[in-house]
């Protein structure tokens, strides 16, 4: 299904729609997003968490050629790469795009010192996630993600729909109101591939440099720092 991107929605309408979608099923919100934004819609996928896989399934079922992007920081687990490969086949993703930092690992070390993530993870995330995310969303009008309110304290007020100033798009979080159990029930019911590390004690999976197993929620990310977001969703 290919439809043209539509113009932006007035801020007041975004808030009203977000309130209306509070009681909507995620599939209904995804359908609205596909019909409203068409080729202007982009799906951010990490191939780490369960909710992102559910969103990919819902979106690709309606629009297999939807623009899907993954940020390959060069520090992704091999299991994450494997999940991406399996998902492309299983979900029929026709438009999967990989975005990398403008700096190789070596160039980053030369410019900013080795193991930047241990000294300045905000800068490392800026170079390897935020800037590539900006490129991924160039020319897009809406970004759909798998964020849920129950994933962390900082995500507790996640709106279903909001204008995202940082990236200049409408951000859609269809799973905002779902919890862990409903998400996994959806994964199981639809036989959706997911990252095997989630069965090995990892709760939230990002770069191997900054991800620990055995810790609930996002507390296993950036251990030792007052940080539980890379900056994409804040
Ligand atoms: S999660 Fe860690 S390694 Fe990955 S980009 Fe951020 S600071 Fe760097």
């Amino acid at each position: 299904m290919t439809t043209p991107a539509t113009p932006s929605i007035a801020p007041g309408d975004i808030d009203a729609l977000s309130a209306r979608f509070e009681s909507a099923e995620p599939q209904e919100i995804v359908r609205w997003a596909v019909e409203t934004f068409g080729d202007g819609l982009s799906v951010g996928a990490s191939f780490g968490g369960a909710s992102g896989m559910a969103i990919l399934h819902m979106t690709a079922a309606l629009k297999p050629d939807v623009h899907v992007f993954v940020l390959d920081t060069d520090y992704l687990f091999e299991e994450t790469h494997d999940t991406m490969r399996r998902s492309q086949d299983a979900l029929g993703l026709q438009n999967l795009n990989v975005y990398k930092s403008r700096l190789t690992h070596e160039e980053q070390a030369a410019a900013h010192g080795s193991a930047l993530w241990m000294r300045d993870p905000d800068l490392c995330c800026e170079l390897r996630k935020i800037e590539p995310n900006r490129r991924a969303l160039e020319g897009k009008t809406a970004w759909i993600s798998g964020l849920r309110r129950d994933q962390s304290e900082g995500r507790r007020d996640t709106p279903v729909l909001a204008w995202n100033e940082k990236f200049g798009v409408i951000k859609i979080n269809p799973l905002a109101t779902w919890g862990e159990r409903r998400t996994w029930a959806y994964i199981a019911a639809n036989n959706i591939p997911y990252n095997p590390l989630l069965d090995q004690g990892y709760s939230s999976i990002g770069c191997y440099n900054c991800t620990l197993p055995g810790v609930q929620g996002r507390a296993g990310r950036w251990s030792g720092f007052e940080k539980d977001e890379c900056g994409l969703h804040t």
Side-chain angles (χ1 to χ4, degrees), residues 107-178:
E107 287 168 343
Q108 178 170 300
H112 301 285
S114 61
L116 182 61
W117 54 91
M118 294 181 72
R119 294 175 288 106
D120 190 347
D122 285 345
L123 178 57
C124 190
C125 282
E126 170 65 35
L127 295 168
R128 313 205 79 76
K129 290 189 171 190
I130 310 296
E131 189 281 325
N133 202 76
R134 214 167 268 130
R135 264 185 284 132
L137 289 172
E138 261 171 20
K140 296 297 177 187
T141 47
W143 170 24
I144 195 163
S145 93
L147 248 61
R148 298 196 326 255
R149 290 173 187 157
D150 71 334
Q151 287 169 327
S152 71
E153 188 60 24
R155 294 185 178 184
R156 197 180 52 179
D157 297 325
T158 298
V160 177
L161 209 65
W163 171 251
N164 187 278
E165 193 66 43
K166 187 183 279 187
F167 296 105
V169 291
I170 293 174
K171 177 100 172 282
I172 308 158
N173 306 300
L175 291 186
T177 61
W178 270 19

Side-chain angles (χ1 to χ4, degrees), residues 14 49 56 88 92 96-98 102 116 124 132-133 146 157 183 196 222:
I14 293 175
L56 270 179
Q88 189 162 18
L96 176 61
N97 303 270
V98 177
R102 292 194 189 280
L116 182 61
C124 190
N133 202 76
D157 297 325
T183 305
W222 301 283

Side-chain angles (χ1 to χ4, degrees), residues 64-130:
D65 67 344
V66 68
H67 180 262
V68 177
F69 70 92
V70 58
L71 308 175
D72 182 351
T73 60
D74 291 321
Y75 306 128
L76 299 182
F77 289 94
E78 187 46 47
E79 287 86 347
T80 302
H81 287 289
D82 183 55
T83 305
M84 178 164 48
R85 285 189 285 268
R86 288 187 294 122
S87 304
Q88 189 162 18
D89 290 341
L91 305 183
L93 306 177
Q94 296 174 4
N95 191 7
L96 176 61
N97 303 270
V98 177
Y99 291 82
K100 300 185 81 151
S101 172
R102 292 194 189 280
L103 298 179
T104 64
H105 169 74
E106 292 76 15
E107 287 168 343
Q108 178 170 300
H112 301 285
S114 61
L116 182 61
W117 54 91
M118 294 181 72
R119 294 175 288 106
D120 190 347
D122 285 345
L123 178 57
C124 190
C125 282
E126 170 65 35
L127 295 168
R128 313 205 79 76
K129 290 189 171 190
I130 310 296

